[in-house]
Amino acid sequence: MKKIKMYILISFTKIQDKAAGRERRQGRQMKKGIKIATIGGGSSYTPELMEGFIKRYQELPIREIWLVDVEEGKEKLSIIGGLTKRMWKAAGYPVEIHTTLNRQEALKDADFVTTQFRVGFLDARIKDERIPLLHGMLGQETNGAGGIFKALRTIPVMEGIVEDMRRLCPNAWLINFTNPSGIITEAVIRRMGWKRCIGLCNVPVISMMSEPGLIGKKPGELNYRFAGLNHFHWHRVFDESGKEVTGRILEHINEKNGGTPVNIYHAPFPMDILRSMKAIPCGYHRYYIAQKEMLVHSLEEFHTERGTRAEQMKETERELFALYRNPELSKKPEQLSRRGGAYYSDAACECINAIYNDKKIPMVVSTENNGAIPCLPSDCIVEVSAVISAAGAWPMVWGEMSGAMRGQLQLMKAMEECVIQAAMYGDPGALKEAFMLNPLIENGGEGDKVLKELLIAHEKYLPRFGSEIPKLKEEGWQSQDPVVRVLTEDA
């Protein structure tokens, strides 16, 4: 199997433009180090990112890191900036750390730009989750109505970032971790035309780290192939001899350590369907395949003091920042793993490492399809196994999908395209089409109520719907949830 891997990599290097690759590497070597700008630098995840950079410093000679945030996040940015400086000082590496609310200042001559921001902070996510649940539908950060509205708030901001990058760092790579990652990456590459962009997610890494142990193997001893969309993909697994072991792992999928992220409720998958599809779904498929069970669990939490996942995370974040304030803390605290961001730094930092050092290593990323999944447009964004080098991501072909997988993918991709159209142009018709297509949203009266209440709840962050929202307010629309009403008044 190792010889086969080597042959693939050698073939890949022949396809690349070697001269251009040499020029890029020589240009980087002439620099005095790497400049990285992180948009959303006040995030509680930033210490995880810094830990990843510190571990890779010998390969990634970082000169300076700029942490950027908005005025509302100023206090958190200051706290994160202090912890980040202490982490690098404890590591003994001469990296300059800057914090700023001036995005243009941070982007100037950056080599890599990472995005990890949440428009509206966790209060916006609370609205995304509570409003659908009040109407008997799943409320989730990246799926259903909540995921659609997160994209509506995020894409216009990303347009501004890309425009700034065109002027200030036209050769930089944009590494996106902002959710919904696949939709945002598609908007950047396909609609904004910024090709030097790769979308990332930690979910595939969680699978590759946790699944080998289910069949007596160690991480790195199995070979993985992923294909689908962000938070809607499948994978197959092979051992060192090339023998497929997908079925063996699949039998453990409903176990506690079966590869599902800790932030997703473990409603049992129906095994007969999975065995028929002959591929392992990601944990987020539970929201679709076990929709009723996931909804019941979400409603149970919604009606208790625990509240939605977003409300639980807001409390976790409060605890984390209390730890981050400690002037003696100089490393990532273990409590950060409770936020569901395990292996975040491994995905983000290793991707940057692979590009900078032309490593030609396999990773799972969101990138242009280019025929990897034949049933989807060649220029759309998919989440697949790919070889990462100085030229970016080179997707590996999965091949034909089964009928059920193909149908689901085409439906979800069409929904994503409608969301992007709505976000970029404030198109209410496209938004209604996205709601119609999404499997987690009821068509008809209740779904329409969710749409209208979410528009009003997020008015501050949806200026492109400025002609629609006042009409709804005049008609007397508002959320029926008291928590959402308070958050909307405070926004």
Side-chain angles (χ1 to χ4, degrees):
M1 192 64 186
K2 291 181 179 178
K3 291 182 179 179
I4 295 174
K5 285 184 183 178
M6 183 62 69
Y7 174 76
I8 292 172
L9 293 181
I10 291 172
S11 298
F12 174 73
T13 59
K14 292 179 180 178
I15 294 171
Q16 287 184 297
D17 183 342
K18 295 182 180 180
R22 281 195 299 270
E23 289 173 4
R24 282 193 294 270
R25 291 192 293 276
Q26 289 169 358
R28 291 193 183 106
Q29 290 166 1
M30 291 171 64
K31 293 183 179 181
K32 296 180 180 178
I34 304 168
K35 177 179 178 179
I36 295 175
T38 296
I39 312 296
S43 166
S44 61
Y45 283 126
T46 300
E48 173 97 4
L49 184 66
M50 293 303 110
E51 180 184 64
F53 285 141
I54 289 170
K55 288 180 178 178
R56 294 167 175 82
Y57 183 78
Q58 297 303 322
E59 291 184 280
L60 284 175
I62 298 171
R63 178 183 76 252
E64 54 187 310
I65 297 174
W66 288 72
L67 304 178
V68 189
D69 223 300
V70 294
E71 182 64 38
E72 296 91 330
K74 185 176 181 179
E75 181 182 2
K76 290 180 179 177
L77 178 63
S78 176
I79 295 168
I80 291 293
L83 174 56
T84 297
K85 290 176 181 177
R86 295 193 298 273
M87 290 177 70
W88 280 100
K89 182 178 180 180
Y93 298 127
V95 176
E96 298 176 16
I97 304 298
H98 304 269
T99 59
T100 182
L101 304 181
N102 186 331
R103 190 171 71 206
Q104 290 76 22
E105 180 184 24
L107 291 176
K108 177 66 174 173
D109 297 326
D111 298 293
F112 293 94
V113 178
T114 67
T115 47
Q116 56 177 42
F117 61 91
R118 185 190 301 277
V119 178
F121 300 94
L122 279 171
D123 283 352
R125 178 177 172 180
I126 291 172
K127 297 176 188 178
D128 286 341
E129 294 179 354
R130 290 189 68 90
I131 289 175
L133 285 167
L134 188 68
H135 293 277
M137 289 170 239
L138 276 162
Q140 209 277 327
E141 178 186 22
T142 59
N143 296 270
I148 289 174
F149 268 80
K150 191 173 193 305
L152 294 183
R153 299 190 302 272
T154 305
I155 288 173
V157 177
M158 193 64 81
E159 284 187 87
I161 293 170
V162 170
E163 281 305 306
D164 286 345
M165 290 179 68
R166 290 189 203 282
R167 294 183 295 105
L168 300 169
C169 51
N171 296 315
W173 278 93
L174 174 57
I175 308 300
N176 176 58
F177 219 93
T178 296
N179 277 323
S181 182
I183 297 178
I184 303 306
T185 304
E186 170 132 355
V188 170
I189 295 176
R190 199 179 186 193
R191 301 297 290 272
M192 301 175 203
W194 190 269
K195 300 294 186 179
R196 294 169 73 84
C197 175
I198 292 177
L200 295 174
C201 181
N202 64 332
V203 174
V205 184
I206 291 173
S207 295
M208 290 186 284
M209 294 299 291
S210 61
E211 289 178 353
L214 300 174
I215 59 172
K217 298 289 185 178
K218 297 178 182 179
E221 291 183 346
L222 298 178
N223 298 291
Y224 280 78
R225 294 296 300 276
F226 286 78
L229 306 177
N230 177 237
H231 288 185
F232 203 88
H233 61 250
W234 294 267
H235 62 275
R236 297 171 63 190
V237 192
F238 304 83
D239 66 16
E240 304 96 318
S241 67
K243 180 181 179 181
E244 185 161 8
V245 294
T246 302
R248 290 177 59 193
I249 293 174
L250 196 58
E251 294 303 316
H252 297 276
I253 196 169
N254 286 326
E255 296 176 7
K256 183 178 180 181
N257 298 317
T260 295
V262 296
N263 58 310
I264 299 176
Y265 173 62
H266 282 50
F269 274 118
M271 293 304 300
D272 53 343
I273 294 177
L274 302 194
R275 292 182 186 121
S276 177
M277 297 175 81
K278 297 181 175 61
I280 302 170
C282 79
Y284 282 90
H285 277 277
R286 281 185 161 86
Y287 290 107
Y288 302 88
I289 300 177
Q291 187 174 148
K292 183 67 175 179
E293 293 81 357
M294 296 297 283
L295 176 59
V296 168
H297 173 76
S298 295
L299 286 171
E300 287 175 353
E301 291 196 326
F302 176 63
H303 292 299
T304 65
E305 291 185 1
R306 282 177 58 80
T308 63
R309 175 69 181 175
E311 290 167 290
Q312 296 167 31
M313 289 304 95
K314 191 172 181 179
E315 177 60 23
T316 300
E317 187 176 85
R318 186 192 66 77
E319 295 171 359
L320 284 171
F321 274 92
L323 292 172
Y324 294 166
R325 281 188 174 93
N326 180 1
E328 301 301 316
L329 182 68
S330 59
K331 64 178 182 179
K332 180 195 78 175
E334 290 301 317
Q335 291 89 331
L336 182 55
S337 60
R338 290 167 53 190
R339 280 222 58 183
Y343 307 116
Y344 160 39
S345 68
D346 285 299
C349 300
E350 194 56 28
C351 183
I352 292 173
N353 190 11
I355 294 172
Y356 182 81
N357 289 300
D358 194 28
K359 296 186 75 171
K360 305 179 185 69
I361 60 172
M363 292 187 67
V364 184
V365 300
S366 287
T367 188
E368 286 185 288
N369 183 18
N370 287 326
I373 303 177
C375 64
L376 294 179
S378 182
D379 64 341
C380 80
I381 300 306
V382 293
E383 188 164 273
V384 293
S385 297
V387 176
I388 311 299
S389 71
W394 190 270
M396 299 180 187
V397 175
W398 172 278
E400 295 294 334
M401 291 281 188
S402 69
M405 294 163 70
R406 181 174 65 249
Q408 291 179 79
L409 277 181
Q410 291 173 337
L411 174 69
M412 294 301 286
K413 177 51 67 178
M415 186 274 298
E416 290 185 354
E417 291 171 347
C418 290
V419 172
I420 294 170
Q421 173 71 18
M424 295 188 73
Y425 300 102
D427 186 337
L431 177 56
K432 291 177 182 178
E433 290 177 20
F435 262 56
M436 175 188 71
L437 290 170
N438 195 291
L440 301 182
I441 303 174
E442 289 182 20
N443 285 318
E446 291 304 307
D448 190 55
K449 290 177 184 177
V450 170
L451 187 152
K452 291 174 178 177
E453 290 181 21
L454 282 168
L455 279 171
I456 291 171
H458 293 302
E459 179 180 16
K460 178 179 178 180
Y461 303 107
L462 299 174
R464 293 179 182 177
F465 288 87
S467 62
E468 294 294 316
I469 296 174
K471 296 176 186 177
L472 297 176
K473 295 172 75 173
E474 288 176 8
E475 294 171 5
W477 285 95
Q478 65 172 333
S479 174
Q480 302 306 304
D481 182 69
V483 173
V484 171
R485 285 204 297 269
V486 171
L487 293 176
T488 302
E489 291 169 1
D490 292 343

